[in-house]
Amino acid sequence: MSDVPNAANTGHRAHLTPADLARMLRYATDWLGVYREQVNALNVYPVPDGDTGTNMHLTMQSVRRELDTCDESSMPGVARAISYGALLGARGNSGVILSQLLKGFAEAIKDLKVVDAATLGRAFQAAQKTGYGAVMKPVEGTILTVARGVAEGAAQGEHIEDVLENALFKGQELLDQTPEMLPALKQAGVIDSGGQGYLYIVQGMLAQLRGEALPPAPEITSYAQEQFENEEFGFCTEFLMSEATKPIEEIRELVTPFGDSLLVVGAEGYVKGHIHTNEPDQLLATVGRYGKMLKTKVEDMSEQHTEILGMAGATARAEEEIAPTGLVAVASGYGLVKLFRGFGARIVSGGQTANPSVQDIVDAVRSVSAEKVIILPNNKNVLMAAEKAMELMEGRAVVIPTRTLGQGIGAALNFSPDVRASELVDGMTEASRAVTTFEVTRASRTTNITVKDGRTLDIQEGDVIGLMDDELVQSGGSPEDSVMEMLNRHYQGQEIITVFGGPQHTQEDLDALAGRIGKEFSMAEVETHPGGPDLYDYLVTVE
């Protein structure tokens, strides 16, 4: 059934079914999407972690994915989809807090058959309570303040529409007061970005009920972060872990000394963490001892700040000299992201098991001020999406078919924004093919596979496995043994061996592995970097 509103079906509703709620939240996701960049533009707190709109929208998109597969006739099923989807998809400080607001909302409705005006009000009140409870040091003037306003307004109303209208009115009233609560907001002359994003979600729910069409996206001409410098802690660090062997409270205590803007929350057997720190490697290694690390994200916030300012709207871009060529790269793992940014690339987050959408790539291309943009997909599963994005850009983009991150690095090394794309593509393509990429990860199932050289590998679920240019070539032993075995079989005298360590490995691990490589391959220069891709122990490039 379509979630597009039908104006003929509007009116005062006495109650909502589970399917009604699912439709409203799906539409609220699209509504927030319209205003995503506007919310990004408002962000100043915490400086400079400034993709609030994007993070909240990604969180809502994860909710929508769960709603698409749940039993919409069941309130427990819809409630679980809301809570579970929000936690798994939570991104950034704002996304994690939003996930807790949605968790509280879901908990309040999960045992109901329908939601009437009174219970909808109580759900928003539960959302506010859970949101405040998730933050160690709640700060007024943020999304929490607006959630409190929404909860107060939602306490009154005879019909569903009345409750949402009152929630928006009171929420807006407190949102307008946020500059008086936070000096950073007052300095920038803006309201709180997370609070605005939360109101757009509630607004989208009401719009679906009323049958309102999506509005056009507002034009963004300035970003509040233009007025701010970097904060004390340089890396926005996140993790998602399952099978935790310690309670959430103890994990929170473990990470507290590493920095600030701390959130550690959980549901459905998962633990989600967010913190600003100067020691992301040590933090992730510490947490990783107490569960199965599923996903990590580390952003260098000074570089993120620079990138945000580079997206300061069409008006600002129009005043700049447009470069002949821009670069967009798909990457994960903060070390690799930092490397590609250093080459001048705009980053699309994603890769193995987290493929970005066509729209994600199109949005990135559009954000680059250049006559033509080169796209590096860096994964065979992203290649088709990149090619479709190229088609949609109607001649403004070209894809170099990099199938691994190593190939992407080789191509990016030969990028120059001052040279036309037509003159770069052949050289970048050739350079990408000169790089061999080794990846070390874990088997997701038990199997036996005959590899290209005729060997049959008997693989058990959880075993270390090694891939060369995305082809399975090794199994068994430790992650370090896997790297050494692949190098021993396939090294052909190249000059540089670069090792990126995954989130479960410390700098000491990298140094020890570099020592082994240097001893056996003394003719090569060995470089190491933390921040390899999620779910991989090591990524090694040879060139």
Side-chain angles (χ1 to χ4, degrees):
M1 183 181 295
S2 173
D3 295 323
V4 176
N6 183 346
N9 294 330
T10 60
H12 290 297
R13 297 288 297 272
H15 66 264
L16 299 170
T17 66
D20 291 333
L21 274 172
R23 281 192 292 271
M24 290 168 71
L25 285 169
R26 287 195 191 96
Y27 199 66
T29 303
D30 294 334
W31 194 274
L32 177 60
V34 169
Y35 294 101
R36 180 182 63 185
E37 272 308 303
Q38 184 189 60
V39 176
N40 283 342
L42 291 171
N43 190 80
V44 296
Y45 186 84
V47 177
D49 185 14
D51 47 1
T52 299
T54 299
N55 286 340
M56 295 181 76
H57 189 230
L58 287 168
T59 304
M60 290 299 296
Q61 286 180 318
S62 182
V63 172
R64 181 166 58 189
R65 283 193 294 271
E66 292 299 319
L67 288 170
D68 287 344
T69 58
C70 77
D71 179 2
E72 288 191 11
S73 66
S74 159
M75 193 68 80
V78 168
R80 182 186 181 278
I82 295 169
S83 178
Y84 181 68
L87 181 70
L88 291 191
R91 287 274 297 272
N93 200 61
S94 53
V96 175
I97 294 176
L98 175 60
S99 77
Q100 296 307 288
L101 295 172
L102 292 171
K103 176 185 177 182
F105 185 96
E107 286 289 319
I109 65 168
K110 68 179 183 180
D111 296 324
L112 305 174
K113 291 185 178 180
V114 296
V115 173
D116 60 19
T119 52
L120 181 60
R122 287 195 287 272
F124 279 116
Q125 292 155 28
Q128 173 245 326
K129 183 178 180 180
T130 305
Y132 270 90
V135 180
M136 290 188 69
K137 298 177 181 178
V139 175
E140 294 300 338
T142 66
I143 185 175
L144 294 174
T145 301
V146 178
R148 176 162 55 83
V150 166
E152 290 174 6
Q156 298 183 24
E158 184 178 350
H159 302 287
I160 297 295
E161 189 172 343
D162 300 332
V163 169
L164 293 172
E165 286 177 346
N166 292 336
L168 284 169
F169 180 83
K170 187 64 176 179
Q172 185 68 52
E173 186 177 272
L174 288 192
L175 178 62
D176 291 340
Q177 296 173 22
T178 56
E180 302 303 319
M181 302 177 191
L182 276 178
L185 297 177
K186 192 167 187 177
Q187 178 184 343
V190 295
I191 53 179
D192 178 66
S193 57
Q196 179 65 85
Y198 188 54
L199 284 192
Y200 280 139
I201 293 169
V202 180
Q203 196 177 85
M205 294 172 70
L206 180 58
Q208 201 283 332
L209 198 65
R210 289 174 166 172
E212 297 177 9
L214 290 175
E219 182 180 354
I220 311 302
T221 59
S222 65
Y223 279 64
Q225 287 202 13
E226 291 172 305
Q227 304 187 40
F228 295 88
E229 299 299 327
N230 297 342
E231 66 170 17
E232 177 184 358
F233 295 104
F235 295 93
C236 176
T237 305
E238 299 179 25
F239 61 86
L240 177 66
M241 187 168 66
S242 67
E243 302 173 22
T245 59
K246 284 183 175 291
I248 288 174
E249 294 75 17
E250 292 187 29
I251 293 173
R252 187 180 292 126
E253 289 177 7
L254 280 172
V255 301
T256 296
F258 283 94
D260 66 6
S261 294
L262 172 67
L263 285 165
V264 178
V265 298
E268 300 282 343
Y270 292 86
V271 177
K272 181 84 176 186
H274 171 282
I275 188 170
H276 292 175
T277 180
N278 285 328
E279 301 175 291
D281 310 300
Q282 190 61 40
L283 184 148
L284 293 173
T286 299
V287 174
R289 300 181 192 127
Y290 303 105
K292 181 180 180 182
M293 197 67 79
L294 300 178
K295 190 182 295 184
T296 65
K297 180 173 80 75
V298 180
E299 289 281 6
D300 182 329
M301 293 194 294
S302 62
E303 294 185 10
Q304 185 187 39
H305 188 208
T306 301
E307 184 166 301
I308 288 165
L309 299 188
M311 297 172 65
T315 300
R317 288 198 297 270
E319 297 174 355
E320 301 173 356
E321 181 181 349
I322 297 177
T325 311
L327 185 65
V328 165
V330 179
S332 68
Y334 77 90
L336 287 155
V337 167
K338 182 176 181 179
L339 185 66
F340 278 109
R341 281 200 175 123
F343 294 139
R346 180 63 43 78
I347 302 300
V348 177
S349 180
Q352 193 69 22
T353 75
N355 299 332
S357 68
V358 173
Q359 190 63 53
D360 291 333
I361 300 172
V362 167
D363 288 345
V365 171
R366 285 176 174 159
S367 76
V368 175
S369 180
E371 294 175 9
K372 196 157 190 172
V373 177
I374 295 171
I375 305 170
L376 303 177
N378 298 339
N379 187 290
K380 66 179 183 182
N381 295 326
V382 181
L383 183 56
M384 288 183 65
E387 290 173 341
K388 183 63 178 176
M390 177 181 68
E391 293 174 16
L392 292 174
M393 293 311 299
E394 298 180 340
R396 195 175 162 240
V398 61
V399 174
I400 294 178
T402 51
R403 294 175 175 269
T404 67
L405 284 160
Q407 289 184 352
I409 292 169
L413 277 165
N414 289 267
F415 170 73
S416 173
D418 299 323
V419 179
R420 294 194 177 279
S422 58
E423 300 173 32
L424 287 172
V425 168
D426 288 347
M428 291 176 68
T429 301
E430 184 178 349
S432 73
R433 293 171 179 166
V435 179
T436 300
T437 307
F438 300 107
E439 299 162 312
V440 179
T441 184
R442 308 298 172 113
S444 60
R445 61 188 177 90
T446 298
T447 186
N448 59 72
I449 295 177
T450 300
V451 296
K452 283 186 175 180
D453 63 9
R455 291 175 297 129
T456 298
L457 305 179
D458 292 317
I459 301 169
Q460 301 297 311
E461 181 179 348
D463 279 357
V464 169
I465 54 174
L467 300 92
M468 183 179 77
D469 292 336
D470 214 32
E471 294 283 342
L472 184 67
V473 295
Q474 185 275 338
S475 68
S478 70
E480 294 76 17
D481 291 339
S482 176
V483 171
M484 297 308 298
E485 182 178 335
M486 288 191 290
L487 286 173
N488 277 309
R489 286 181 179 274
H490 303 287
Y491 176 75
Q492 296 179 340
Q494 295 96 328
E495 296 178 357
I496 302 173
I497 300 174
T498 306
V499 183
F500 292 88
Q504 60 272 63
H505 291 291
T506 64
Q507 186 61 50
E508 288 76 14
D509 295 333
L510 281 169
D511 291 342
L513 179 56
R516 289 180 65 179
I517 295 172
K519 186 175 181 180
E520 293 198 31
F521 304 95
S522 57
M523 67 293 293
E525 178 184 343
V526 183
E527 300 178 0
T528 64
H529 301 277
D534 299 334
L535 304 181
Y536 285 77
D537 287 271
Y538 296 105
L539 182 141
V540 181
T541 64
V542 181
E543 54 190 303

